[in-house]
Amino acid sequence: MTIEFKATKREAQGSSASRRLRRAGQLPGIIYGGGKDALAINLDHNDLYHLLKKEAFHASILTVDVEGAKETVVLRDTQWHAYKQQVMHLDFQRVDASQKLHLKVPLHFVNAEVSPAVKLGSAIIAHVITELDVKCLPSELPEFIEVDLAALEVGQSVHVSQLKLPAGVELAHHGEGDPVVASAQQAKGAAAAEEGEAA
């Protein structure tokens, strides 16, 4: 997916300048990295607010058109107001096509409804992890990673090591072990019914 949005250079710095921008419907941000100087920018708050609601915006290579000069970036940080639905600041990092990225990619769970756990065992599928840390070149960044639950049975779990990663994508795993991605646990009502039948 190609996501592009516009920005202008931000000359005024400081908290008072940022407050004025926000009152005018603008959103301060910064673009950094890539061996270039950091660039302070202004963005349209409403445009970016709606983009932030899209899953792909958080795990895609983005294009920022800064007064005609296009920057290729990824979103690195979002600062929200403590209690308002207002974005306070956005941080973007420039992308180098030859350097691997480290980014969180969302997981999409499929085929739960046809799994033995659900069809035969009336189980509840718990999504323990909903995103995965990966490393890859920008051109190989997936929008999401699919988790196929078709073979999942009651009491079983899917672990990170069982996921099929796209070509060129490697796991940027932190810590030890093999984390659970999803598990199938029998619903209490179904378990009680089975116990009653057995009795």
Side-chain angles (χ1 to χ4, degrees):
M1 175 182 290
T2 301
I3 300 177
E4 182 172 330
F5 52 96
K6 293 184 180 294
T8 57
K9 293 177 183 177
R10 176 161 50 96
E11 305 298 339
Q13 305 288 326
S15 56
S16 60
S18 294
R19 282 196 295 271
R20 286 195 299 273
L21 282 171
R22 294 184 189 108
R23 283 198 296 270
Q26 297 293 300
L27 168 62
I30 191 165
I31 300 173
Y32 63 87
K36 300 179 184 178
D37 291 338
L39 176 64
I41 57 174
N42 296 328
L43 303 148
D44 182 274
H45 181 275
N46 285 344
D47 287 349
L48 272 296
Y49 178 84
H50 291 296
L51 284 173
L52 284 164
K53 297 293 184 183
K54 298 178 184 291
E55 180 186 72
F57 189 72
H58 299 264
S60 295
I61 306 301
L62 312 170
T63 301
V64 189
D65 184 337
V66 186
E67 299 177 9
K70 295 190 177 183
E71 297 265 15
T72 305
V73 302
V74 291
L75 177 66
R76 278 302 183 200
D77 190 44
T78 307
Q79 297 171 29
W80 290 85
H81 191 280
Y83 56 87
K84 295 180 184 176
Q85 287 294 304
Q86 181 181 16
V87 190
M88 302 298 284
H89 196 275
L90 292 177
D91 291 8
F92 298 97
Q93 182 181 355
R94 293 185 181 96
V95 168
D96 183 338
S98 65
Q99 297 292 320
K100 286 190 175 183
L101 284 170
H102 179 180
L103 207 64
K104 290 184 184 295
V105 173
L107 299 178
H108 282 191
F109 298 87
V110 298
N111 295 326
E113 68 281 358
V114 300
S115 69
V118 173
K119 284 190 76 175
L120 304 177
S122 300
I124 295 173
I125 308 293
H127 300 166
V128 182
I129 296 175
T130 57
E131 57 186 14
L132 205 60
D133 275 333
V134 301
K135 290 193 294 186
C136 63
L137 291 173
S139 60
E140 296 170 333
L141 180 66
E143 286 184 30
F144 59 87
I145 293 170
E146 195 169 272
V147 182
D148 191 348
L149 302 173
L152 194 63
E153 298 194 21
V154 175
Q156 288 186 338
S157 298
V158 176
H159 293 262
V160 167
S161 63
Q162 296 171 270
L163 299 183
K164 184 178 180 182
L165 300 179
V169 178
E170 59 184 286
L171 187 64
H173 184 45
H174 302 290
E176 299 179 358
D178 188 10
V180 172
V181 176
S183 63
Q185 301 298 325
Q186 194 165 46
K188 289 181 180 178
E194 285 190 4
E195 288 176 6
E197 289 174 6

